[in-house]
Amino acid sequence: MKHLLVNGERKSIPPFPHHKDFVYRVNRFFNVRSLLSFVSIDGPLYVPKKFLANRKYECAIPRLLLVDPTSACNLNCKGCWANDYRKSSSLSYEKLDEIFTEAGKLGVLQIIMSGGEPLLRKADILKLCRKHSNLSFAAFTNGTLIDEEFAKEMASLGNLNVFVSIEGFREDTDARRGEGTFDKVVKAMDILKKHDIGFGFSACYHSGNYQAVASDEFLDFMQEKGAWLGWLFNYLPIGSQADPSLCCTAEQRSFVYLKIESYSKEKNLTLIDFANNGHKAFGCVAAGNDFAHINANGDLEPCAFCHYSDANIHDMSLTEALRSPFFRKFREAKPFSGNLLRPCPLMDVPNSLEMLIDPVLVRSTHLDSPESAAELAAKTRPIAEEWEPTASALFETLPYTEKRRFGILNKMVKASYDFMYKK
């Protein structure tokens, strides 16, 4: 039996596809210390199976597939990265069933649902989790639709988890998500803890709440509420309704990086800070290197924040979509920076994003309000230029042995990926 220290308690971890096993794997992935520990994260047979599957299907098969059942939402959060998606888009139960069946065949381990608000499709989600008991599922949710009945169903299934969105304490959460949202989220967390769900919290940090989200008080509160892990996202000015004033300055992003690194080590809480964990995640994991995203319109995107695509699963199978020329070009361009504290082509190296996006072959997936790569890059370039010297200084503070280990592992992982994906 595997174990994980959570909130000061030694927790038993049921075998895959239990939702607690996913938390355990995430913890191991972001704390990898050697090539051996990396290749054994998902069991001794995962890597050779992935190797053979990638060669057989001639595509990069992600470990984790993010899927949006719907673009509809019961909230209207300020600056939401999905605001410009068409609100009427949704994937039918039959299409979701088809995607999950093929994903399981390919060797995808984890399906995470987002949106919109995925729990607007509660009944379909529960039915799909029950049918695809060979897969582990989770959902990024605003938490307002979680009740006792749903939590009981989750506990009964075992292979479904949730990551509940919160922006800090009441003032910050309600300011962005609507009055009364914080209390509903906290109530949902109490219900999940009561039913022994190893849930996580999800927080978008920005210029207005970065200190609160990275504070010991807030992170202690999340542990007290029962969170097993936390996902932190740096605000990106994606879409026509984006508010650039919410973007963190280099000093603010650095503050979060240092606080999260310190807290996660001292308090033993698994915290994934996507903007600042490139050195732990082998750079960018998008476009099939462990991650890919299907939005509610069926467009296959490199990640949830990169709203560009040249493939749609309504026109082709998932396997065919994963062979996307855009995906291949995206992977071949990695790493986007020699400093893995600058891993992202959207916010850290926007010039590379412009070079990746062919305006003829690759389209914006903001169907009602398209945004070109040049328009997005124009917003993020000043942020990237400010961050570069700070990131360089932070990278130099890493111990030599740690930099060397990450450097060697990154080169080996990239070489193995390149070998697996090419015939």
Side-chain angles (χ1 to χ4, degrees):
M1 174 70 76
K2 297 174 291 188
H3 295 86
L4 185 65
L5 191 64
V6 180
N7 305 338
E9 296 182 41
R10 192 168 183 262
K11 300 282 190 178
S12 297
I13 306 298
F16 178 85
H18 197 276
H19 69 270
K20 292 179 181 177
D21 181 71
F22 174 68
V23 179
Y24 174 82
R25 290 168 189 251
V26 169
N27 177 277
R28 291 194 64 194
F29 184 91
F30 284 93
N31 289 284
V32 68
R33 289 292 179 266
S34 67
L35 184 63
L36 178 61
S37 64
F38 170 74
V39 299
S40 62
I41 289 170
D42 298 301
L45 296 180
Y46 175 75
V47 170
K49 283 183 176 179
K50 183 179 176 72
F51 171 83
L52 293 173
N54 287 345
R55 301 285 282 185
K56 176 181 178 181
Y57 296 108
E58 301 182 43
C59 65
I61 300 169
R63 174 189 274 110
L64 188 157
L65 185 64
L66 184 65
V67 181
D68 299 348
T70 180
S71 59
C73 187
N74 60 327
L75 297 182
N76 185 26
C77 303
K78 182 181 179 182
C80 175
W81 58 268
N83 257 344
D84 282 344
Y85 280 144
R86 186 169 289 163
K87 295 296 183 282
S88 60
S89 297
S90 66
L91 297 172
S92 68
Y93 172 86
E94 292 73 21
K95 178 54 69 173
L96 290 166
D97 182 34
E98 178 186 309
I99 292 170
F100 299 164
T101 298
E102 189 174 358
K105 177 183 176 182
L106 290 172
V108 173
L109 297 177
Q110 174 81 13
I111 304 290
I112 296 185
M113 290 165 281
S114 183
E117 172 49 52
L119 296 192
L120 289 172
R121 301 281 299 278
K122 270 186 190 179
D124 283 344
I125 287 174
L126 292 171
K127 186 177 178 182
L128 287 162
C129 291
R130 192 170 292 110
K131 178 175 181 179
H132 297 277
S133 57
N134 62 318
L135 293 171
S136 180
F137 291 88
F140 281 104
T141 172
N142 60 41
T144 62
L145 301 178
I146 293 173
D147 54 22
E148 286 280 351
E149 182 180 354
F150 183 68
K152 287 178 183 177
E153 290 276 11
M154 289 178 64
S156 175
L157 283 169
N159 67 333
L160 174 62
N161 204 354
V162 289
F163 309 129
V164 183
S165 297
I166 191 167
E167 305 287 330
F169 290 109
R170 180 177 285 104
E171 182 180 356
D172 288 316
T173 298
D174 287 1
R176 191 156 179 238
R177 294 180 171 268
E179 187 176 352
T181 302
F182 177 81
D183 290 335
K184 292 177 182 178
V185 169
V186 170
K187 181 180 179 181
M189 289 182 174
D190 290 339
I191 292 171
L192 294 166
K193 183 179 180 180
K194 172 184 173 182
H195 290 277
D196 195 29
I197 305 297
F199 73 93
F201 72 91
S202 170
C204 174
Y205 62 90
H206 51 78
S207 60
N209 73 341
Y210 73 98
Q211 288 180 309
V213 165
S215 69
D216 286 3
E217 292 79 10
F218 174 70
L219 297 172
D220 287 348
F221 180 64
M222 288 295 94
Q223 292 210 69
E224 177 190 323
K225 289 289 108 181
W228 281 43
L229 81 164
W231 305 91
L232 284 81
F233 303 90
N234 187 5
Y235 177 82
L236 279 170
I238 297 171
S240 63
Q241 297 186 41
D243 181 358
S245 71
L246 290 174
C247 295
C248 285
T249 64
E251 182 182 359
Q252 292 166 349
R253 180 172 168 182
S254 174
F255 174 90
V256 174
Y257 167 77
L258 294 170
K259 288 285 292 181
I260 294 303
E261 285 285 299
S262 173
Y263 187 94
S264 60
K265 290 176 182 177
E266 291 177 11
K267 301 294 184 74
N268 199 51
L269 176 64
T270 301
L271 295 170
I272 302 94
D273 179 2
F274 275 94
N276 295 323
N277 278 170
H279 62 304
K280 295 183 179 181
F282 313 103
C284 173
V285 296
N289 284 139
D290 296 319
F291 192 90
H293 176 232
I294 299 174
N295 67 26
N297 190 56
D299 301 306
L300 181 71
E301 303 169 334
C303 82
F305 303 102
C306 188
H307 296 175
Y308 302 95
S309 179
D310 65 348
N312 187 290
I313 50 85
H314 290 299
D315 304 323
M316 61 190 76
S317 67
L318 174 61
T319 306
E320 290 169 327
L322 288 169
R323 294 176 185 146
S324 153
F326 176 42
F327 265 38
R328 181 176 293 276
K329 184 178 179 182
F330 197 103
R331 290 193 304 273
E332 290 174 350
K334 296 180 186 181
F336 299 107
S337 167
N339 180 349
L340 292 176
L341 292 178
R342 298 174 54 235
C344 178
L346 279 73
M347 66 178 173
D348 296 325
V349 198
N351 290 342
S352 65
L353 178 68
E354 287 191 90
M355 290 187 287
L356 282 171
I357 308 296
D358 184 324
V360 176
L361 301 177
V362 181
R363 63 185 179 85
S364 169
T365 52
H366 285 319
L367 299 185
D368 289 338
S369 183
E371 181 174 56
S372 71
E375 289 171 324
L376 176 58
K379 289 188 288 186
T380 60
R381 188 173 289 110
I383 302 167
E385 290 173 350
E386 182 192 8
W387 173 244
E388 183 173 1
T390 303
S392 297
L394 286 173
F395 189 71
E396 289 305 313
T397 66
L398 292 174
Y400 173 76
T401 53
E402 191 167 338
K403 285 191 289 186
R404 180 173 174 78
R405 180 173 68 246
F406 284 131
I408 292 172
L409 282 170
N410 271 284
K411 288 178 182 177
M412 296 183 73
V413 169
K414 179 173 172 55
S416 66
Y417 281 154
D418 289 344
F419 182 68
M420 283 193 289
Y421 300 153
K422 296 175 182 177
K423 282 198 170 184

